[in-house]
Amino acid sequence: MEVRTVLCVAEKPSIAKAIANHLGDQVTTVSTDARNPPVELMDVQHNIQGNPYVKNYEFDYTFPQWGHCSVTMTSVLGHLLSHEFEPRYKSWTSCDPSALFDARIEVFVGSNRKPIADNIKRHARRADVLYIWTDCDREGEHIGTEIRSVAAQSNQALGRAGGTVRAHFSNIERAHIIHAAHHPTDLDEGQADAVASRIELDLRVGASFTRHLTLSLCPVLQRGNLSEASQLISYGSCQFPTLGFIVERYLRVRNFIPEPFWSIKLMHRKAGTRVNFSWARKHLFDRMIVVILYEWCLTSQNAQVQKVKTTPTSKWKPLPLTTLELQKCGSRFLGMDSQKVLQLAEKLYQKGWISYPRTETDQFDQGTDLRGLIQKQAQGGRWADYATALVEGGFSWPRNGRNNDKAHPPIHPVNFVNPTTLSHEEQRVHEFVVRRFLACCSKDAQGSKTDISILYGPETFNVSGLVILERNYLDVYVYDRWDNQELPPFIEGEVFEPTEAILSEGKTSPPGYLTEPDLLALMNANGIGTDATMADHIVTIIDRQYVEARAQPRQARHGNDEEESEELPAQARVGNGRRGRTAVARRRGGRNSGAGRGGAITGVREFIPTTLGVALVEGHENMGFETNLTKPFLRKEMELKMNAICDGQTTKARVVNETIEQYRGVYARMQQHPGVLCTAVRKYVFGKVN
């Protein structure tokens, strides 16, 4: 087939512009508006008629596979097609909500996308090849098929085999784009079908249960004089399980009953250093037994060193950066919510500074020129000297994680940018990406660990010390901490009288409310959403007023099975072998008392469900069947089926039919318990038990 004209379509205008700049020597910005003539070299930019963002760029380019061609580069703005039920189902009272499981869905170009579709069809008429430059992920593959279907309306040849190809790229650096242009591949129909099935299922299931829940609860919510927005109970197969995680943790916190425990603390001062030994038993819940053991220790008076062992130890450098890890670290270290971090990373990608930020891969291919990428970061920035040192001999190949999506490498910088040209928030995300990448290419931190065990009466106590010998990656990755914990010298068999022995009391503490990093990890482990959409689901349940987000107090100590114990009063302490009366002192303040006394606030968010959120989850729980809508099982199974479509193990039609039948069964079981949700709403939202 002779190819003379190529139509290239990117997913975003910024990507189209970058690709056109790399491929075209004399790029012309073309306007479809006759009042605005073409201007070369993009000194002035003209838009397509009807849309202020999408532009057309025309240039000549010589493709190895086709020869010299005339190229038009344009873009879409994400998805080109919309999906809605046919008009007769528009009214919420037009049918039982379950009818939407089977209702006909219309696929069309929405009015806001019509100028973009018309632009593609206009240029497709004279194109010999349609070259897709959408993002290389499932969503991008599906958008590519949407573009192909629109282009084929004016040029059927583009819909046939060989008429449409796609570029594989993970960043917009010049050499990478040229390589992609020279190696076209086919669209991945399996990935596109997976997204198509997800779109259809989300529409059918979401609309059916949203209408059912809203219509069922509307009489109750209306009596509460709630806002109209609060009366809409929006359901999503990812939103509800996410809400379920938050409510489950909230109820564990609220229903937690603290239990007292007792322990023995031992301190010895040697060579001017306080050495705090930990009891080998940690703690016991029987006070009398602890008191007896404590008395035996005091009776012995002296302690003897049983073991001194010094071994080399390492702190591993971090794994290459994935989307999920970027979001979690953005919350922990940068104080940004996961959606904001991903948006900023997307901007950095579109500007050409980092690789594609939506990836599950945490291992670099062996052929990647990592030293070349490091060398670019030696041009400036606070990490320039460190990058130079890596190039000159400190380089170590990154660790391999367990994940490889076969589409994109880990997130990494691809070009040097002067940080002053970025916004403040962009600088922070960019700095994290660069430091993480340099840390991955560094050596592990090295240290020497000393473990000491002593026998005091019948009881064993332990202490560990650390001396850092080589900081290595820690010098650039400022987000990790590994501190020296030097111990004075001890030798095996040494006998000494402990400076202080203390009987202490504590109590078990509840887990903390779910933080954003922990919630993301739970969603990922249970297949709720993708790395690129999990943040959106969190935002949705906040917008729906199912949960609230708040900054976590820095002093909160959650996630452990115990609180830090309180020492008993001075009368219970023993110094240099002198013993006194024992007594009990209870910890003052509740679990949030630190914040009440001015405890600092971190940037990490924690989530608290609203009364409506709790009511929705408890109502579904009270229906008594395991696969209710707030559990992750149905959505996780759906995601596994999406993967099976991608792998060619099943088909879109089969997955849609099987999944619809599962949700139809849930719908039928919900109808057998019509008053359970209403009872839960009255209980939590309005405080009425009956």
Side-chain angles (χ1 to χ4, degrees):
M1 178 181 69
E2 183 180 6
V3 177
R4 293 183 178 178
T5 304
V6 177
L7 172 60
C8 296
V9 185
E11 190 171 326
K12 308 174 186 71
S14 60
I15 302 300
K17 179 180 179 180
I19 295 169
N21 277 333
H22 291 323
L23 300 184
D25 293 329
Q26 294 291 319
V27 180
T28 303
T29 303
V30 179
S31 169
T32 58
D33 188 340
R35 295 169 296 177
N36 297 317
V39 179
E40 290 196 346
L41 297 178
M42 295 182 290
D43 290 332
V44 179
Q45 305 216 348
H46 298 288
N47 309 316
I48 68 169
Q49 190 170 9
N51 187 282
Y53 306 109
V54 176
K55 302 172 178 62
N56 298 329
Y57 308 105
E58 290 193 351
F59 53 91
D60 290 341
Y61 189 77
T62 301
F63 294 92
Q65 62 273 31
W66 301 316
H68 189 78
C69 297
S70 174
V71 180
T72 297
M73 184 77 195
T74 189
S75 73
V76 291
L77 292 171
H79 280 282
L80 196 54
L81 302 180
S82 299
H83 301 73
E84 289 183 3
F85 294 111
E86 56 183 330
R88 66 192 181 99
Y89 294 104
K90 186 173 183 179
S91 171
W92 280 35
T93 57
S94 62
C95 63
D96 184 273
S98 62
L100 300 180
F101 288 137
D102 304 303
R104 190 171 70 86
I105 295 175
E106 296 181 342
V107 181
F108 59 96
V109 177
S111 58
N112 61 332
R113 293 291 191 265
K114 192 173 185 305
I116 301 173
D118 290 343
N119 182 55
I120 290 173
K121 286 189 283 188
R122 184 180 304 111
H123 289 278
R125 291 191 186 100
R126 58 186 180 87
D128 299 308
V129 169
L130 173 62
Y131 209 146
I132 302 295
W133 288 80
T134 52
D135 293 342
C136 296
D137 54 16
R138 284 188 193 176
E139 214 72 24
E141 297 296 332
H142 187 264
I143 294 172
T145 61
E146 292 181 345
I147 295 169
R148 180 181 62 190
S149 67
V150 169
Q153 293 176 20
S154 63
N155 185 344
Q156 295 182 359
L158 300 182
R160 303 188 190 112
T164 298
V165 296
R166 79 111 69 238
H168 268 286
F169 62 103
S170 59
N171 65 70
I172 55 173
E173 190 267 333
R174 178 179 175 82
H176 189 72
I177 291 299
I178 291 175
H179 181 271
H182 291 183
H183 297 84
T185 61
D186 293 328
L187 283 166
D188 190 323
E189 303 294 342
Q191 291 196 45
D193 282 348
V195 174
S197 63
R198 190 260 303 157
I199 290 173
E200 180 175 347
L201 287 169
D202 284 352
L203 176 59
R204 293 189 183 280
V205 173
S208 298
F209 283 101
T210 294
R211 290 189 183 185
H212 173 68
L213 291 169
T214 301
L215 294 173
S216 299
L217 295 175
C218 186
V220 178
L221 295 174
Q222 282 180 338
R223 287 199 293 269
N225 295 319
L226 298 179
S227 66
E228 186 173 339
S230 298
Q231 295 177 31
L232 172 65
I233 308 300
S234 171
Y235 170 78
S237 59
C238 288
Q239 299 168 33
F240 264 45
T242 303
L243 171 63
F245 293 138
I246 294 171
V247 172
E248 180 183 20
R249 178 64 66 85
Y250 170 79
L251 293 177
R252 282 177 58 194
V253 174
R254 293 298 299 267
N255 297 332
F256 184 84
I257 300 175
E259 187 176 0
F261 62 80
W262 291 264
S263 63
I264 302 172
K265 291 186 176 181
L266 197 67
M267 187 276 289
H268 183 60
R269 187 181 295 277
K270 184 175 183 181
T273 302
R274 288 175 58 96
V275 182
N276 294 307
F277 291 88
S278 299
W279 192 20
R281 298 179 190 267
K282 304 297 184 185
H283 60 259
L284 297 176
F285 294 95
D286 190 317
R287 181 181 183 277
M288 184 57 66
I289 292 177
V290 177
V291 169
I292 292 172
L293 294 173
Y294 175 66
E295 295 284 350
W296 283 356
C297 291
L298 297 182
T299 301
S300 299
Q301 191 167 4
N302 290 330
Q304 184 179 45
V305 179
Q306 300 291 301
K307 182 187 75 172
V308 178
K309 185 178 181 181
T310 300
T311 56
T313 187
S314 301
K315 185 171 179 63
W316 289 353
K317 61 190 178 184
L319 286 168
L321 188 60
T322 63
T323 304
L324 177 62
E325 188 67 13
L326 173 65
Q327 292 172 310
K328 290 162 63 177
C329 290
S331 176
R332 287 194 183 106
F333 305 139
L334 307 181
M336 298 181 183
D337 66 72
S338 52
Q339 187 184 54
K340 182 69 173 178
V341 171
L342 199 54
Q343 289 172 346
L344 292 167
E346 184 78 21
K347 289 182 180 179
L348 292 170
Y349 160 68
Q350 293 178 18
K351 293 178 179 179
W353 307 130
I354 68 172
S355 62
Y356 189 60
R358 301 175 190 269
T359 177
E360 299 175 7
T361 302
D362 54 8
Q363 52 188 252
F364 282 102
D365 292 338
Q366 288 296 320
T368 308
D369 182 15
L370 298 182
R371 284 184 172 86
L373 294 171
I374 295 170
Q375 182 67 62
K376 293 180 179 181
Q377 300 307 317
Q379 298 178 48
R382 287 175 287 181
W383 49 81
D385 291 341
Y386 188 89
T388 300
L390 285 185
V391 174
E392 293 177 351
F395 175 81
S396 175
W397 190 263
R399 295 165 55 201
N400 280 341
R402 299 180 178 180
N403 305 300
N404 191 333
D405 60 18
K406 305 297 183 182
H408 296 286
I411 304 169
H412 63 277
V414 296
N415 278 310
F416 172 76
V417 57
N418 187 333
T420 60
T421 64
L422 304 175
S423 70
H424 176 66
E425 289 182 324
E426 288 174 341
Q427 284 182 37
R428 299 180 66 211
V429 174
H430 176 260
E431 178 175 352
F432 174 78
V433 171
V434 174
R435 288 185 181 275
R436 176 71 172 236
F437 172 68
L438 296 178
C440 291
C441 298
S442 304
K443 297 175 182 176
D444 297 333
Q446 302 295 329
S448 176
K449 181 183 180 183
T450 300
D451 294 310
I452 300 174
S453 293
I454 67 170
L455 193 65
Y456 185 37
E459 296 304 299
T460 299
F461 295 81
N462 304 306
V463 69
S464 293
L466 173 68
V467 176
I468 299 177
L469 304 176
E470 298 177 18
R471 290 183 54 81
N472 295 330
Y473 89 90
L474 291 170
D475 285 332
V476 71
Y477 197 63
V478 297
Y479 315 99
D480 266 2
R481 293 191 62 183
W482 205 37
D483 297 324
N484 278 309
Q485 300 169 9
E486 296 191 35
L487 296 176
F490 286 89
I491 59 174
E492 291 184 3
E494 177 182 347
V495 177
F496 62 90
E497 183 179 358
T499 305
E500 191 173 69
I502 301 171
L503 178 65
S504 67
E505 179 185 6
K507 61 181 178 180
T508 55
S509 65
Y513 297 117
L514 266 186
T515 63
E516 190 157 18
D518 292 338
L519 178 57
L520 289 167
L522 270 175
M523 295 172 70
N524 181 61
N526 288 278
I528 304 303
T530 66
D531 53 0
T533 62
M534 285 187 286
D536 295 331
H537 300 317
I538 295 174
V539 170
T540 298
I541 60 175
I542 294 174
D543 291 344
R544 299 298 184 198
Q545 300 178 31
Y546 298 158
V547 304
E548 295 176 350
R550 71 183 188 189
Q552 182 189 44
R554 190 181 300 276
Q555 293 176 336
R557 294 174 58 87
H558 303 317
N560 301 320
D561 60 357
E562 64 182 69
E563 283 190 2
E564 185 175 347
S565 57
E566 279 290 315
E567 299 173 357
L568 295 180
Q571 289 90 338
R573 302 188 182 191
V574 175
N576 295 326
R578 293 172 299 182
R579 51 180 295 191
R581 299 187 303 274
T582 59
V584 176
R586 298 196 177 274
R587 184 177 180 88
R588 291 179 292 179
R591 57 183 291 272
N592 289 324
S593 58
R597 293 193 300 269
I601 299 297
T602 70
V604 179
R605 298 194 301 173
E606 61 182 15
F607 300 104
I608 312 294
T610 63
T611 53
L612 177 59
V614 176
L616 289 172
V617 173
E618 183 167 299
H620 282 88
E621 290 283 354
N622 291 343
M623 291 182 193
F625 48 93
E626 187 176 1
T627 54
N628 71 58
L629 298 180
T630 64
K631 298 296 185 183
F633 310 124
L634 287 172
R635 183 67 195 200
K636 185 173 186 177
E637 186 174 347
M638 185 193 300
E639 289 296 336
L640 292 174
K641 290 177 179 178
M642 300 297 113
N643 294 337
I645 294 175
C646 294
D647 296 336
Q649 299 173 358
T650 188
T651 64
K652 169 182 175 292
R654 182 175 180 179
V655 167
V656 170
N657 291 335
E658 290 176 352
T659 305
I660 286 297
E661 289 309 308
Q662 287 179 308
Y663 278 98
R664 200 193 304 272
V666 174
Y667 187 93
R669 289 194 292 273
M670 288 178 64
Q671 287 189 312
Q672 297 171 7
H673 305 274
V676 175
L677 271 174
C678 293
T679 300
V681 169
R682 283 193 291 266
K683 173 183 175 181
Y684 285 100
V685 178
F686 304 117
K688 298 180 180 179
V689 178
N690 296 317

